[in-house]
């Protein structure tokens, strides 16, 4: 058992899907995995292990923001030896050519997080990057499933409500979408020598103010989960 995860040694698979919302972890386990067993419910942050197409795999909620995902990602890699971590989340689109329900793969995760800055200090601006093998496999899966992913730079912001951030400049420099966790996940995966990837569906659009209906959210979430699961078992 680690501080925030109640699993015993061996109860977590070496590959894991990481939704922010713990109830999404429950949904994924119950909908897509066989023989899923819940291994933790500390703080209602649920985690399950089961199998997908015969391969042992876990799914665990992370909560919102880099501070929260950092707790779970650290304990999963350091204390349970998890080697392949795929974040599955939603994001807000920041460019006209990115549409609601698009699937996004974060090749890089720009951030305003002081956590990343404080690791390196001085004048270093670290570039948190996806694992290339996972990225290639996920992209190929997205093409195979008829929903080719958009691949590029996203921004992992510290504040969901942020009146000061310059979204126009981020867009001008190619940022496709905004979410709140991936820069932390990529940085920690590098530290622990694990593979990480961030996969998203666009739930809302910052330029147009559009948002998915609950039904659209569910369908596109399921599409993304299938891409993530097929990638995770390779
Ligand atoms: N901002 C930050 N995180 C998000 C958003 C957003 O607009 N949409 C989905 N995750």
């Amino acid at each position: 058992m680690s501080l925030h995860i109640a699993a015993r040694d061996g109860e977590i698979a070496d590959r894991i899907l990481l939704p922010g919302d713990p109830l999404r972890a429950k949904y994924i386990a119950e909908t897509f995995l066989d023989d899923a067993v819940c291994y933790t419910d500390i703080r209602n942050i649920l985690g399950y292990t089961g199998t997908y197409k015969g391969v042992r795999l876990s799914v665990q909620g992370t909560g919102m923001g880099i501070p929260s995902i950092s707790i779970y990602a650290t304990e999963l890699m350091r204390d349970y030896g998890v080697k392949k971590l795929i974040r599955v989340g939603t994001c807000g689109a920041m460019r006209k050519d990115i549409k609601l329900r698009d699937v996004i793969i974060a090749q890089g995760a720009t951030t305003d997080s002081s956590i990343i800055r404080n690791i390196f200090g001085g004048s270093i601006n670290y570039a948190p990057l996806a694992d290339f093998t996972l990225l290639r496999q996920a992209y190929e899966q997205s093409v195979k499933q008829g929903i080719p992913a958009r691949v590029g730079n996203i921004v992992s912001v510290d504040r969901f409500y942020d009146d000061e951030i310059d979204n126009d400049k981020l867009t001008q420099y190619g940022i496709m979408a905004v979410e709140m966790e991936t820069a932390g996940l990529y940085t920690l995966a590098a530290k622990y020598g694990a593979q990480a990837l961030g996969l998203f569906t666009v739930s809302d659009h910052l330029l147009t103010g559009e948002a998915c209906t609950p039904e659209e959210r569910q369908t596109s979430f399921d599409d993304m989960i299938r891409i993530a699961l097929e990638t995770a078992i390779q």
Side-chain angles (χ1 to χ4, degrees):
M1 197 182 153
S2 63
L3 207 51
H4 301 89
I5 302 173
R8 288 180 302 236
D9 280 356
E11 284 187 329
I12 303 180
D14 63 356
R15 55 199 80 201
I16 197 161
L17 262 50
L18 300 172
D21 179 351
L23 291 180
R24 292 272 193 203
K26 183 172 195 281
Y27 169 79
I28 294 165
E30 290 175 352
T31 312
F32 294 95
L33 301 189
D34 294 318
D35 307 318
V37 174
C38 180
Y39 60 73
T40 189
D41 63 357
I42 296 177
R43 290 175 183 246
N44 284 326
I45 299 286
L46 303 168
Y48 298 80
T49 298
T51 61
Y52 179 74
K53 296 191 174 173
V55 180
R56 200 158 168 270
L57 183 142
S58 297
V59 52
Q60 154 99 47
T62 64
M64 287 182 281
I66 291 176
S68 188
I69 197 172
S70 296
I71 291 171
Y72 296 97
T74 297
E75 293 181 19
L76 288 167
M77 292 184 281
R78 187 192 64 189
D79 302 333
Y80 294 98
V82 176
K83 288 283 175 217
K84 203 185 273 191
L85 304 93
I86 303 182
R87 165 162 156 67
V88 283
T90 57
C91 65
M94 292 173 63
R95 277 193 349 218
K96 275 203 208 101
D97 61 318
I98 308 285
K99 309 281 182 231
L100 289 186
R101 303 190 52 187
D102 277 357
V103 174
I104 304 248
I105 297 175
Q107 181 178 16
T110 295
T111 189
D112 61 353
S113 166
S114 60
I115 292 183
I116 315 301
R117 206 178 315 127
N118 290 341
I119 291 173
F120 297 94
S123 58
I124 296 294
N125 293 308
Y126 181 72
L129 295 182
D131 176 78
F132 179 71
T133 303
L134 286 185
L135 191 159
R136 181 171 50 76
Q137 289 168 340
Y139 180 72
E140 284 168 2
Q141 273 304 322
S142 75
V143 172
K144 201 169 161 190
Q145 294 185 27
I147 20 176
R150 306 295 303 264
V151 181
N153 206 348
I154 60 146
V155 63
S156 303
V157 295
D158 266 353
R159 287 188 278 166
F160 187 91
Y161 300 108
D162 187 343
D163 293 333
E164 286 78 29
I165 195 165
D166 188 345
N167 282 331
D168 290 341
K169 181 163 281 180
L170 289 166
T171 304
Q172 191 189 345
Y173 280 76
I175 301 293
M176 299 187 301
V178 56
E179 55 84 67
M180 299 185 69
E181 293 81 17
T182 300
L185 176 65
Y186 285 1
T187 304
L188 286 167
K191 175 176 177 177
Y192 289 103
Q195 296 176 279
L197 186 71
L199 202 56
F200 311 91
T201 56
V202 177
S203 60
D204 52 287
H205 208 298
L206 269 61
L207 296 179
T208 63
E210 300 166 283
C212 283
T213 63
E215 296 74 37
E216 287 172 333
R217 258 179 188 258
Q218 196 59 51
T219 315
S220 43
F221 189 80
D222 287 358
D223 290 341
M224 170 187 59
I225 293 303
R226 284 188 201 95
I227 295 170
L229 287 166
E230 293 293 337
T231 303
I233 63 171
Q234 289 186 53

